[in-house]
Amino acid sequence: MQTGIFISIKPPYCKLIKSQEKVNEFRSKIPKLPVNHFWIYESAPSSSLKYCAIVGTPVHFPDKVKEVGYGDQSFNEGNSNYTYAYPILQLYELTEAIPLKILKEMYQFSPPQGFAYCGRYPKLDIYLKNHAQWREVF
């Protein structure tokens, strides 16, 4: 069964992903369950839920990724703190980002340090899948 997770990413890296200059999301740990999408919370100063990334099967170092984007070479050389690289296949952006204040009040959401399974915030997951308005970035 494929599922999703919530992750936090800093604004400069979200910008690189959006511009396709960063084509892999690097992680030091991965969920036990297979995932196929990341709900992306952009950390301060934005502090809002903004994106959904459709991701492929993670590459586990020492396996290599194709060196086409930010961080790929460092990952391949083992010069990063990350042992997993998720290829970002598609990216969607909420037409209206959801600020942290609303996330906390309506969904008891706390920005994850590593990741959080969607099951931790089922009402938010349902809203994002069934009611939120998205635009395709790529």
Side-chain angles (χ1 to χ4, degrees):
M1 179 178 156
Q2 296 281 318
T3 187
I5 57 174
F6 289 94
I7 63 171
S8 299
I9 300 179
K10 294 178 182 179
Y13 301 109
C14 285
K15 184 177 179 182
L16 289 171
I17 291 169
K18 187 174 178 180
S19 67
Q20 294 184 277
E21 294 173 69
K22 184 174 190 281
V23 297
N24 290 292
E25 176 54 27
F26 303 103
R27 295 277 142 173
S28 55
K29 296 179 183 174
I30 61 170
K32 290 182 176 129
L33 301 173
V35 299
N36 64 356
H37 67 280
F38 295 162
W39 298 123
I40 300 173
Y41 172 83
E42 186 176 83
S43 60
S46 169
S47 302
S48 59
L49 192 62
K50 293 181 81 169
Y51 301 102
C52 179
I54 308 302
V55 297
T57 304
V59 174
H60 185 199
F61 184 82
D63 291 344
K64 309 289 188 221
V65 298
K66 188 175 179 183
E67 292 185 18
V68 295
Y70 178 87
D72 295 344
Q73 182 178 357
S74 180
F75 176 83
N76 286 343
E77 293 172 352
N79 294 330
S80 71
N81 296 326
Y82 306 109
T83 51
Y84 298 93
Y86 279 91
I88 302 167
L89 308 175
Q90 294 175 282
L91 185 70
Y92 297 88
E93 183 174 22
L94 278 165
T95 55
E96 289 188 39
I98 306 171
L100 182 57
K101 182 178 185 208
I102 300 295
L103 292 167
K104 283 184 174 185
E105 289 173 2
M106 293 183 67
Y107 305 105
Q108 294 72 52
F109 179 84
S110 296
Q113 290 296 315
F115 66 87
Y117 287 109
C118 290
R120 185 171 181 181
Y121 305 105
K123 287 170 40 178
L124 178 56
D125 187 47
I126 290 167
Y127 170 76
L128 293 169
K129 287 179 180 172
N130 299 324
H131 305 290
Q133 298 294 310
W134 297 92
R135 65 178 157 255
E136 186 174 359
V137 177
F138 61 85

